[in-house]
Amino acid sequence: MTDKESTAPEAGAKDAVAHIGPDATLLIVDDDGPFLRRLARAMETRGFVVETAESVAEGVAKSKANPPKHAVVDLRLGDGNGLDVIEAIRQRRDDTRIVVLTGYGNIATAVTAVKLGAVDYLAKPADADDVYAALTQRPGEKAEVPENPMSADRVRWEHIQRVYEMCERNVSETARRLNMHRRTLQRILAKRAPK
């Protein structure tokens, strides 16, 4: 996200507020402090009433205390998985528009997030415009198709992630099924997704 995006409201800010609806509450959960603050400022300029959390525990607590209408949740947080925050929100409110935001994007986790009730899944670095578009997208609207297909490295990485999710995140079982050394698999899982 650029400085311009984080401080300047978008051209039609008044029109943008109309897209949000009467309940403009937004919870952003991300353990990257500078990114969290920039995104929070950018969403406030677009008309949201923003609360932030930097951990799963804080996100769950804020979800229980005041369930938001909109949420942006990072998948990997220092104290656990962002999917736990999504579950906590869904227990209190079933109409929340949730966007999962992560630097470790993969198809298997995206499917899990959608099953739990997320409306979109964005890979970092996503800018404020992408997040805003995902939060305000109307039912029936289709996301733009990416111009470039996935690289061979990305397809391989996606397959590994899918098998890892199928094995309920058990590294040993995943390595066995993929006929791969456990340490090699751990190194692959620790890295960000290839482009």
Side-chain angles (χ1 to χ4, degrees), residues 41-96:
R41 280 194 312 268
M43 292 297 104
E44 285 172 346
T45 63
R46 286 164 172 79
F48 286 99
V49 177
V50 179
E51 268 199 81
T52 61
E54 293 192 40
S55 66
V56 170
E58 190 179 359
V60 168
K62 288 189 176 184
S63 298
K64 289 180 178 178
N66 186 21
K69 172 67 177 163
H70 305 87
V72 177
V73 181
D74 189 10
L75 187 63
R76 286 195 181 181
L77 298 162
D79 64 337
N81 193 322
L83 296 175
D84 295 336
V85 178
I86 294 173
E87 286 182 286
I89 292 170
R90 283 290 176 236
Q91 288 173 357
R92 302 281 188 205
R93 187 169 185 171
D94 62 358
D95 67 335
T96 301

Side-chain angles (χ1 to χ4, degrees), residues 106-109 111-112 155-169 174 177-178 189:
N106 69 72
I107 293 168
T109 316
V111 170
T112 304
V155 172
R156 176 180 178 263
W157 192 84
E158 290 287 350
H159 175 68
I160 290 169
Q161 292 293 325
R162 185 176 59 79
V163 174
Y164 182 55
E165 290 294 327
M166 283 177 16
C167 295
E168 298 178 356
R169 299 180 182 193
T174 304
R177 288 190 185 187
L178 292 171
L189 293 173

Side-chain angles (χ1 to χ4, degrees), residues 1-8 38 41:
M1 188 176 340
T2 64
D3 290 333
K4 180 183 165 200
E5 289 169 336
S6 65
T7 57
R38 283 194 312 270
R41 280 194 312 268

Side-chain angles (χ1 to χ4, degrees), residues 120 137 141-146:
D120 208 341
Q137 183 175 333
E141 287 181 350
K142 295 182 179 174
E144 293 180 22
V145 177

